[in-house]
Amino acid sequence: MKQARPDTEDFERLFLRDTPLLDTRAPLEFARGAFPTARNLPLMSDDERAAVGTCYKARGQAAAIALGHELVSGDRRQQRIDAWVAFARAHPEGYLYCFRGGLRSQIVQRWLMEAGVPYPRVTGGYKAMRRFLLERLEHSIERASFVLVAGATGTGKTRLIEDLPRAVDLEGLAHHRGSAFGHLVDPQPSQIDFENSLSIALLRLLEESSAPICIEDEGRLVGRIALPEILRQRMAESPLIVLEHPVEERVEVVVEDYIVDLGRRFSERFGPEGAARHRERMLDNLSRTRKRLGGARYEEIRRQMEEAFDAQAASGSVDGHRRWIRRLLAEYYDPMYAYQLQQRDGAFLFRGPRDAALRFVLDGLR
């Protein structure tokens, strides 16, 4: 049998290297918070873990361990071992862990060893790695130099972020486009998952250099994901790059993002039902603007949106959408953006179109 790699507590190395992680916690634990490179192959199911926990409280550790071995035995045990072995062989550089690096990961490690596949553990488990990322997140935010990418809706802020070598896509990490219409097809991650991913992203960029990091100008929430308060404080005082484009160009960006691209995502996910679900989602999102727009304007724009979707269903043309989008930009988003921009205290480094902004960043913020 080959020599096992040693267990590790070098959390920074794990995250900087995108190390594959075998998470042996129960599925509910994994759903509450995990790491980007982790795969959940639990020792116990949620029901099994709950039964063992109840036994522990009533009869103590020895009885709980005995029950766990009884519940995870025979074919069930072998199926789980087979899955762990397959993961370990596919990811020979990986590590396994449980919540605290204790009994569950020790059992998985021992059973893997007995199957002829030595595999190392993460000392301290998920809890220690999560604590490391939280502490490093605060330190990274304090240490980093940020530049905000601002601009009215439709100026393509996310497009610029994606083109920059030193940027963090907050909306990408949050799986949301950061507006009343920002909900995508896939659900948002948990708050914990978002924080873990953000911490890792900053960790990597700061490991490379101390050059400024560009992030999109966001509010307190990106969908239901809350930005860390310390990051919001840094954003409020950070210098800004403001994208400026004519309204007709902005309308085209919104058509591309929210009609063409989002419609395609719904169709790929739901097949023939995708178009109807896309329409329903857009109308539901529009309802979030009703209070600020007022009843009469809201009803007019809703009617225009419904007419546009009817025309799209009949002919495939998205032309009708430009009318309601143009109105929503002028009457809802632009006034709100102007107010939000006034709340920023940072200096204005650049104002202009996206392609010129890209050249400015690449030339001037190295």
Side-chain angles (χ1 to χ4, degrees), residues 316-331:
S317 172
V318 299
D319 291 344
H321 289 286
R322 294 182 175 87
R323 182 183 179 192
W324 69 261
I325 290 172
R326 192 178 296 109
R327 284 199 63 184
L328 201 63
L329 291 179
E331 299 175 33

Side-chain angles (χ1 to χ4, degrees), residues 54-311:
T54 300
C55 180
Y56 178 85
K57 292 178 182 177
R59 299 169 54 198
Q61 184 182 55
I65 292 174
L67 176 60
H69 281 283
E70 178 183 340
L71 292 172
V72 186
S73 61
D75 290 342
R76 182 175 298 175
R77 167 176 162 161
Q78 191 57 52
Q79 288 171 0
R80 292 178 191 177
I81 292 174
D82 290 344
W84 300 329
V85 167
F87 180 93
R89 288 177 173 162
H91 306 286
E93 74 281 22
Y95 290 82
L96 65 87
Y97 65 90
C98 62
F99 183 67
R100 292 186 179 88
L103 188 58
R104 283 183 288 179
S105 58
Q106 291 171 16
I107 290 172
V108 172
Q109 189 177 49
R110 185 174 72 250
W111 288 359
L112 276 169
M113 180 71 74
E114 291 170 356
V117 184
Y119 211 62
R121 287 184 301 127
V122 178
T123 304
Y126 171 83
K127 186 176 182 180
M129 288 189 284
R130 166 68 174 161
R131 183 170 59 249
F132 167 82
L133 287 179
L134 278 178
E135 292 172 352
R136 189 54 66 91
L137 176 58
E138 183 169 348
H139 175 73
S140 294
I141 293 171
E142 290 175 345
R143 175 187 165 198
S145 297
F146 293 108
V147 173
L148 294 192
V149 176
T153 299
T155 51
K157 298 181 290 294
T158 299
R159 286 167 165 77
L160 177 60
I161 290 289
E162 291 172 347
D163 286 339
L164 295 173
R166 288 188 61 78
V168 175
D169 183 1
L170 296 174
E171 293 183 0
L173 296 182
H175 298 180
H176 194 279
R177 285 179 172 155
S179 70
F181 290 83
H183 297 279
L184 301 175
V185 178
D186 294 326
Q188 290 191 261
S190 70
Q191 180 72 32
I192 291 174
D193 284 0
F194 172 80
E195 292 167 356
N196 289 343
S197 295
L198 175 58
S199 183
I200 293 168
L202 291 175
L203 185 72
R204 290 174 181 159
L205 288 171
L206 291 172
E207 175 72 10
E208 294 173 2
S209 81
S210 59
I213 296 170
C214 292
I215 56 176
E216 186 169 338
D217 187 13
E218 302 286 354
R220 183 176 67 87
L221 296 173
V222 183
R224 60 171 176 76
I225 296 295
L227 297 185
E229 181 60 28
I230 185 175
L231 178 59
R232 293 184 62 230
Q233 293 171 2
R234 292 296 314 280
M235 291 169 69
E237 62 190 23
S238 295
L240 296 96
I241 291 171
V242 181
L243 303 186
E244 296 178 334
H245 285 268
V247 67
E248 292 306 318
E249 293 181 14
R250 293 164 52 209
V251 168
E252 294 308 309
V253 169
V254 175
V255 168
E256 176 62 30
D257 285 352
Y258 292 93
I259 303 303
V260 178
D261 178 67
L262 189 59
R264 174 186 55 78
R265 296 187 191 207
F266 271 92
S267 294
E268 290 176 351
R269 172 61 61 84
F270 300 109
E273 298 180 3
R277 285 177 178 260
H278 178 215
R279 175 180 180 141
E280 181 182 0
R281 170 69 63 80
M282 294 293 288
L283 288 168
D284 180 63
N285 289 339
L286 181 64
S287 68
R288 302 170 192 270
T289 70
R290 180 170 192 154
K291 183 176 180 180
R292 186 180 296 271
L293 282 172
R297 285 193 299 177
Y298 166 77
E299 292 298 339
E300 290 175 8
I301 293 175
R302 180 182 177 88
R303 176 180 53 78
Q304 292 170 0
M305 180 187 284
E306 289 180 324
E307 290 173 352
F309 274 112
D310 287 342

Side-chain angles (χ1 to χ4, degrees), residues 44-58:
M44 293 184 291
S45 68
D46 294 324
D47 290 342
E48 291 161 357
R49 177 172 174 264
V52 169
T54 300
C55 180
Y56 178 85
K57 292 178 182 177

